[in-house]
Amino acid sequence: MTTLTDPSLFQTSSFINNEWVDHQDDQLEVINPSTNQIIAKVSDSTRSDAEDAVNAAQKAFKYWSGFTAKERASVLQKWFQLILENTEDLAKIMTLEQGKPISEARNEIIYGASFIEFYAEECKRVLGNIIPTVDKSRRLFTYKQAIGVVGCITPWNFPNAMITRKAAPALAAGCTVVIKPDPKTPLSALALCELAKRAGLPSGVLNVVAGTDSQGIGEVLTQHPSIAKFTFTGSTATGKILMAQCAKSIKKVSLELGGNAPFIVFNDANIDEAVEHCIATKFRNCGQTCVCTNRIYVQNDVIDNFVSKLKTGISKLKVADGFDEEATIGPMIDRKAVEKMDSFMLDAKSNGAAVLLGGKRHALGGFFYEPTLLINTSKNMRILNEEIFGPIAAVESFSSEEEVIAEANSTNYGLAAYFFTRDIGRVMRLSESLEYGIVCSNSGVFSTEVAPFGGWKQSGIGSEGGKEGIQDFYETKFHSMGGINT
Ligand code: SIN
């Protein structure tokens, strides 16, 4: 096993009320997806641990929300600094449990930390309003108050950044949080707790409950009367269930759900750049992100050139254990994910798709899958209708702008969309016509702490990041203040 400079970052118990809570008897096994070996046994927390965590968070709320924004910011800045100082260890822990290449893991730690820095600054600038009065004896104003205890459920594909993108604005606003990380990747979440403790976050403000009882812990986080807001990143199907649970007590909800991102290349595009960005957005994290390119549409007069360059680019990807510094594609997260790729391939091939590259499990074995390129796909194939969440790229042709916009929008998802064209009018037309929360032209890069990340349609509710990402953690209070003239 890889060695850490600071082994105390490798925590294996839930973190509740600033204490490590261990159940020796019940343990969940964390697997390295690259080797299929057990790398840790983490205390398998229960519904009752989740209740303890919510109660601790409720108790801490009054104290923490009573800090000034500046005081909270100063603790968060310390947490941010500690994360940066420990980037290498945190990245190693992530690669170990999630499998992503170590270079991607390092980037994620820095990306994750950026939300803490940003919201430590942003919380000082959250303002209310003074409203011109309608009555000389009264004054009217609004101000913001932290909403309360926030329940978070976070995914395995970004075990660090999807936590900080929720927890940082919540904590900065004065909320306290209880997080349930995915049981496949609890170690990154627990390492963040160790650093939060060292940064001086008071007891009960940040709690992480790691456990396999998704239903029990999930019910606490969506139904406990002390939870004021619930936030989830994961699949649309699970999001619907959790949202229905929250409806019972009208909790504020934000959801970051699945995607079906189109990547559109027009005949005036810079094809080399389009290919480079297509590979980056399709194969990031082995294709396992909600914003990964899912459908590639190329205008018919440049499709041959594009496909040939795409094939060359994909064949240069290095599939390897994430600790290989040259790896660009690590393993998939688990066997189920690999089986899903098999089933997509079976469906695509039996319906006439041609496989230009890959198309099967990788010779490395385990959960490795070959980067795959398909052509001759057709609209009825699952690969064009479902979120792939894996390293399979399928290229379709189109003839006109109207046709491709209609095709791109013909989905219930609306998270991210990409397009390449040098026509400035078309850039604006597509920007306005695509029914997506994030549009990205002539680039596949957009993830940043300073801008809102959120989906339309069944891709979600609300935004994370940017000034939008903190608003949901406050209630607005309207004060009508009388007695001015008496
Ligand atoms: C996601 O796909 O869930 C997050 C990706 C990102 O923040 O870039």
Side-chain angles (χ1 to χ4, degrees), residues 271-284:
I271 299 294
D272 289 330
E273 281 181 13
V275 165
E276 183 192 327
H277 287 266
C278 183
I279 292 172
T281 64
K282 175 64 238 180
F283 294 99
R284 177 181 177 209

PDB file of all heavy atoms in Angstrom, residues 271-284:
ATOM      1  N   ILE A 271     -10.685  21.591 -35.944  1.00  0.00           N
ATOM      2  CA  ILE A 271     -10.915  20.155 -35.687  1.00  0.00           C
ATOM      3  C   ILE A 271      -9.903  19.597 -34.672  1.00  0.00           C
ATOM      4  O   ILE A 271     -10.271  18.805 -33.798  1.00  0.00           O
ATOM      5  CB  ILE A 271     -10.881  19.339 -36.999  1.00  0.00           C
ATOM      6  CG1 ILE A 271     -11.987  19.826 -37.951  1.00  0.00           C
ATOM      7  CG2 ILE A 271     -11.002  17.838 -36.744  1.00  0.00           C
ATOM      8  CD1 ILE A 271     -13.412  19.577 -37.489  1.00  0.00           C
ATOM      9  N   ASP A 272      -8.661  20.044 -34.764  1.00  0.00           N
ATOM     10  CA  ASP A 272      -7.666  19.521 -33.810  1.00  0.00           C
ATOM     11  C   ASP A 272      -8.053  19.875 -32.374  1.00  0.00           C
ATOM     12  O   ASP A 272      -7.968  19.035 -31.472  1.00  0.00           O
ATOM     13  CB  ASP A 272      -6.274  20.093 -34.110  1.00  0.00           C
ATOM     14  CG  ASP A 272      -5.720  19.507 -35.392  1.00  0.00           C
ATOM     15  OD1 ASP A 272      -6.066  18.353 -35.698  1.00  0.00           O
ATOM     16  OD2 ASP A 272      -4.985  20.214 -36.104  1.00  0.00           O
ATOM     17  N   GLU A 273      -8.486  21.120 -32.191  1.00  0.00           N
ATOM     18  CA  GLU A 273      -8.889  21.522 -30.826  1.00  0.00           C
ATOM     19  C   GLU A 273     -10.141  20.775 -30.387  1.00  0.00           C
ATOM     20  O   GLU A 273     -10.263  20.361 -29.233  1.00  0.00           O
ATOM     21  CB  GLU A 273      -9.144  23.033 -30.770  1.00  0.00           C
ATOM     22  CG  GLU A 273      -7.857  23.814 -30.678  1.00  0.00           C
ATOM     23  CD  GLU A 273      -8.073  25.318 -30.603  1.00  0.00           C
ATOM     24  OE1 GLU A 273      -9.214  25.776 -30.384  1.00  0.00           O
ATOM     25  OE2 GLU A 273      -7.071  26.030 -30.784  1.00  0.00           O
ATOM     26  N   ALA A 274     -11.078  20.619 -31.322  1.00  0.00           N
ATOM     27  CA  ALA A 274     -12.325  19.912 -30.981  1.00  0.00           C
ATOM     28  C   ALA A 274     -12.004  18.483 -30.535  1.00  0.00           C
ATOM     29  O   ALA A 274     -12.561  17.988 -29.541  1.00  0.00           O
ATOM     30  CB  ALA A 274     -13.267  19.906 -32.170  1.00  0.00           C
ATOM     31  N   VAL A 275     -11.100  17.835 -31.246  1.00  0.00           N
ATOM     32  CA  VAL A 275     -10.735  16.446 -30.897  1.00  0.00           C
ATOM     33  C   VAL A 275     -10.099  16.410 -29.505  1.00  0.00           C
ATOM     34  O   VAL A 275     -10.463  15.585 -28.660  1.00  0.00           O
ATOM     35  CB  VAL A 275      -9.777  15.861 -31.963  1.00  0.00           C
ATOM     36  CG1 VAL A 275      -9.106  14.591 -31.464  1.00  0.00           C
ATOM     37  CG2 VAL A 275     -10.533  15.602 -33.254  1.00  0.00           C
ATOM     38  N   GLU A 276      -9.169  17.327 -29.277  1.00  0.00           N
ATOM     39  CA  GLU A 276      -8.460  17.338 -27.983  1.00  0.00           C
ATOM     40  C   GLU A 276      -9.450  17.522 -26.817  1.00  0.00           C
ATOM     41  O   GLU A 276      -9.410  16.794 -25.814  1.00  0.00           O
ATOM     42  CB  GLU A 276      -7.450  18.490 -28.010  1.00  0.00           C
ATOM     43  CG  GLU A 276      -6.596  18.599 -26.793  1.00  0.00           C
ATOM     44  CD  GLU A 276      -5.844  19.924 -26.756  1.00  0.00           C
ATOM     45  OE1 GLU A 276      -5.478  20.452 -27.828  1.00  0.00           O
ATOM     46  OE2 GLU A 276      -5.671  20.442 -25.631  1.00  0.00           O
ATOM     47  N   HIS A 277     -10.370  18.470 -26.981  1.00  0.00           N
ATOM     48  CA  HIS A 277     -11.323  18.732 -25.894  1.00  0.00           C
ATOM     49  C   HIS A 277     -12.369  17.624 -25.782  1.00  0.00           C
ATOM     50  O   HIS A 277     -12.875  17.338 -24.699  1.00  0.00           O
ATOM     51  CB  HIS A 277     -11.984  20.102 -26.083  1.00  0.00           C
ATOM     52  CG  HIS A 277     -11.042  21.232 -25.777  1.00  0.00           C
ATOM     53  ND1 HIS A 277     -10.986  21.825 -24.536  1.00  0.00           N
ATOM     54  CD2 HIS A 277     -10.095  21.834 -26.526  1.00  0.00           C
ATOM     55  CE1 HIS A 277     -10.044  22.764 -24.550  1.00  0.00           C
ATOM     56  NE2 HIS A 277      -9.487  22.785 -25.750  1.00  0.00           N
ATOM     57  N   CYS A 278     -12.693  17.019 -26.920  1.00  0.00           N
ATOM     58  CA  CYS A 278     -13.653  15.914 -26.889  1.00  0.00           C
ATOM     59  C   CYS A 278     -13.080  14.763 -26.052  1.00  0.00           C
ATOM     60  O   CYS A 278     -13.777  14.190 -25.203  1.00  0.00           O
ATOM     61  CB  CYS A 278     -13.933  15.455 -28.327  1.00  0.00           C
ATOM     62  SG  CYS A 278     -15.156  14.171 -28.394  1.00  0.00           S
ATOM     63  N   ILE A 279     -11.817  14.468 -26.266  1.00  0.00           N
ATOM     64  CA  ILE A 279     -11.183  13.379 -25.500  1.00  0.00           C
ATOM     65  C   ILE A 279     -11.143  13.745 -24.010  1.00  0.00           C
ATOM     66  O   ILE A 279     -11.466  12.931 -23.144  1.00  0.00           O
ATOM     67  CB  ILE A 279      -9.771  13.083 -26.054  1.00  0.00           C
ATOM     68  CG1 ILE A 279      -9.908  12.473 -27.449  1.00  0.00           C
ATOM     69  CG2 ILE A 279      -8.990  12.155 -25.130  1.00  0.00           C
ATOM     70  CD1 ILE A 279      -8.616  12.290 -28.201  1.00  0.00           C
ATOM     71  N   ALA A 280     -10.802  15.006 -23.743  1.00  0.00           N
ATOM     72  CA  ALA A 280     -10.709  15.420 -22.331  1.00  0.00           C
ATOM     73  C   ALA A 280     -12.066  15.312 -21.645  1.00  0.00           C
ATOM     74  O   ALA A 280     -12.165  14.818 -20.510  1.00  0.00           O
ATOM     75  CB  ALA A 280     -10.182  16.846 -22.242  1.00  0.00           C
ATOM     76  N   THR A 281     -13.132  15.741 -22.319  1.00  0.00           N
ATOM     77  CA  THR A 281     -14.449  15.726 -21.648  1.00  0.00           C
ATOM     78  C   THR A 281     -15.058  14.330 -21.644  1.00  0.00           C
ATOM     79  O   THR A 281     -15.869  14.010 -20.799  1.00  0.00           O
ATOM     80  CB  THR A 281     -15.468  16.672 -22.312  1.00  0.00           C
ATOM     81  OG1 THR A 281     -15.722  16.200 -23.626  1.00  0.00           O
ATOM     82  CG2 THR A 281     -14.978  18.087 -22.380  1.00  0.00           C
ATOM     83  N   LYS A 282     -14.710  13.533 -22.620  1.00  0.00           N
ATOM     84  CA  LYS A 282     -15.293  12.179 -22.670  1.00  0.00           C
ATOM     85  C   LYS A 282     -14.612  11.248 -21.676  1.00  0.00           C
ATOM     86  O   LYS A 282     -15.279  10.444 -21.023  1.00  0.00           O
ATOM     87  CB  LYS A 282     -15.164  11.638 -24.105  1.00  0.00           C
ATOM     88  CG  LYS A 282     -15.618  10.203 -24.327  1.00  0.00           C
ATOM     89  CD  LYS A 282     -17.092  10.008 -24.076  1.00  0.00           C
ATOM     90  CE  LYS A 282     -17.366   8.978 -23.026  1.00  0.00           C
ATOM     91  NZ  LYS A 282     -18.778   8.753 -22.744  1.00  0.00           N
ATOM     92  N   PHE A 283     -13.285  11.349 -21.562  1.00  0.00           N
ATOM     93  CA  PHE A 283     -12.551  10.317 -20.804  1.00  0.00           C
ATOM     94  C   PHE A 283     -12.086  10.766 -19.420  1.00  0.00           C
ATOM     95  O   PHE A 283     -11.419  10.002 -18.725  1.00  0.00           O
ATOM     96  CB  PHE A 283     -11.380   9.797 -21.644  1.00  0.00           C
ATOM     97  CG  PHE A 283     -11.860   9.061 -22.873  1.00  0.00           C
ATOM     98  CD1 PHE A 283     -11.910   9.685 -24.108  1.00  0.00           C
ATOM     99  CD2 PHE A 283     -12.313   7.755 -22.775  1.00  0.00           C
ATOM    100  CE1 PHE A 283     -12.389   9.019 -25.237  1.00  0.00           C
ATOM    101  CE2 PHE A 283     -12.796   7.075 -23.893  1.00  0.00           C
ATOM    102  CZ  PHE A 283     -12.829   7.714 -25.129  1.00  0.00           C
ATOM    103  N   ARG A 284     -12.439  11.995 -19.021  1.00  0.00           N
ATOM    104  CA  ARG A 284     -12.073  12.445 -17.663  1.00  0.00           C
ATOM    105  C   ARG A 284     -12.661  11.446 -16.654  1.00  0.00           C
ATOM    106  O   ARG A 284     -13.814  11.041 -16.770  1.00  0.00           O
ATOM    107  CB  ARG A 284     -12.675  13.839 -17.453  1.00  0.00           C
ATOM    108  CG  ARG A 284     -12.459  14.442 -16.088  1.00  0.00           C
ATOM    109  CD  ARG A 284     -13.153  15.805 -16.052  1.00  0.00           C
ATOM    110  NE  ARG A 284     -13.063  16.416 -14.759  1.00  0.00           N
ATOM    111  CZ  ARG A 284     -13.981  17.274 -14.277  1.00  0.00           C
ATOM    112  NH1 ARG A 284     -15.034  17.593 -14.994  1.00  0.00           N
ATOM    113  NH2 ARG A 284     -13.836  17.802 -13.095  1.00  0.00           N
TER     114      ARG A 284
END
